[in-house]
Amino acid sequence: DAGITQSPRYKITETGRQVTLMCHQTWSHSYMFWYRQDLGHGLRLIYYSAAADITDKGEVPDGYVVSRSKTENFPLTLESATRSQTSVYFCASSEWSSGTYNEQFFGPGTRLTVL
Amino acid sequence: SQQGEEDPQALSIQEGENATMNCSYKTSINNLQWYRQNSGRGLVHLILIRSNEREKHSGRLRVTLDTSKKSSSLLITASRAADTASYFCATTGGSYIPTFGRGTSLIVHP
């Protein structure tokens, strides 16, 4: 199916564990983004990627690692999960034209709870 | 840090009424986008307005942009219960990375 998918949709883990959230898009968009959404903060950008093997930090990158070996995949890893990383995580993709980003397409989100 | 800030934070109206929400921002932008988020879902793009545009329409949606006041408004006409959602503005400036506000929660009562 065409679109952008995230897995898992729900995850419960413990403090100190490593967790990887997966994101896959079928449009071959160049740009991909990871956001976290918390009450009172809206969406905050964690990392983004302009192409395979090109990634850059967003507003809140500490404690997260990303990679992008293939255009369609953009996994987000929490190296040692902390309770403050309990959140809903959204992946998005976009294309670039006419000197700006086009609309972003969002995945359904992953609700992560760190105990 | 948030660039756009939506106002009001929450809005409750009756079906058939118009809903207006505003977005203010601090620095110059290239474009501004509005998104909708239904409960438990990802965001869905509604409309993009560029800095050299003043107004855009899409169905029951009307977006205005006033760059002199650094503000935008989203008007939903003849609201329906299905319009119940959170609405976010996202501004894109010199870094070209969209920055989202905290959103306006809209409830439309049948």
Side-chain angles (χ1 to χ4, degrees):
Chain A
D1 292 334
I4 182 165
T5 57
Q6 293 183 235
S7 62
R9 294 293 315 279
Y10 302 90
K11 177 73 177 179
I12 299 174
T13 190
E14 294 178 338
T15 301
R17 291 191 179 265
Q18 182 180 83
V19 178
T20 296
L21 310 183
M22 304 301 292
C23 178
H24 175 79
Q25 53 109 351
T26 61
W27 295 298
S28 298
H29 285 162
S30 299
Y31 292 86
M32 296 188 75
F33 308 81
W34 273 107
Y35 294 91
R36 59 178 290 173
Q37 185 175 33
D38 306 286
L39 279 174
H41 289 281
L43 271 78
R44 291 182 290 176
L45 182 65
I46 305 170
Y47 270 95
Y48 65 101
S49 168
D53 298 321
I54 300 175
T55 62
D56 208 345
K57 296 178 180 179
E59 181 186 353
V60 289
D62 293 344
Y64 303 95
V65 175
V66 293
S67 62
R68 195 164 176 209
S69 58
K70 294 183 178 181
T71 300
E72 61 267 28
N73 296 324
F74 191 37
L76 175 73
T77 298
L78 289 66
E79 294 186 297
S80 179
T82 65
R83 289 181 181 156
S84 65
Q85 293 177 309
T86 292
S87 186
V88 181
Y89 291 85
F90 288 99
C91 178
S93 71
S94 178
E95 203 42 270
W96 177 278
S97 68
S98 303
T100 190
Y101 288 106
N102 290 339
E103 62 180 285
Q104 289 182 302
F105 292 87
F106 281 79
T110 294
R111 184 174 295 275
L112 176 68
T113 301
V114 183
L115 302 176
Chain B
S1 60
Q2 266 74 25
Q3 159 75 307
E5 289 294 337
E6 294 89 346
D7 173 68
Q9 290 187 353
L11 183 60
S12 181
I13 61 174
Q14 294 296 127
E15 211 167 28
E17 295 179 340
N18 294 342
T20 300
M21 52 205 86
N22 304 294
C23 173
S24 60
Y25 55 92
K26 297 176 181 176
T27 61
S28 61
I29 61 171
N30 296 309
N31 66 57
L32 185 146
Q33 303 179 58
W34 285 92
Y35 288 81
R36 183 188 75 233
Q37 183 181 33
N38 292 92
S39 180
R41 302 285 187 94
L43 279 70
V44 174
H45 183 264
L46 295 176
I47 200 162
L48 180 153
I49 186 165
R50 300 185 189 279
S51 60
N52 60 354
E53 298 174 314
R54 292 297 167 257
E55 187 171 314
K56 287 191 82 169
H57 295 258
S58 177
R60 294 183 295 112
L61 306 180
R62 173 178 170 248
V63 170
T64 61
L65 179 63
D66 187 334
T67 53
S68 67
K69 295 181 179 179
K70 292 186 170 61
S71 68
S72 172
S73 67
L74 170 67
L75 169 66
I76 304 173
T77 59
S79 296
R80 306 166 181 169
D83 294 327
T84 294
S86 291
Y87 292 81
F88 295 86
C89 68
T91 55
T92 303
S95 70
Y96 299 102
I97 303 298
T99 304
F100 288 81
R102 293 184 173 88
T104 290
S105 176
L106 172 66
I107 297 175
V108 182
H109 299 280

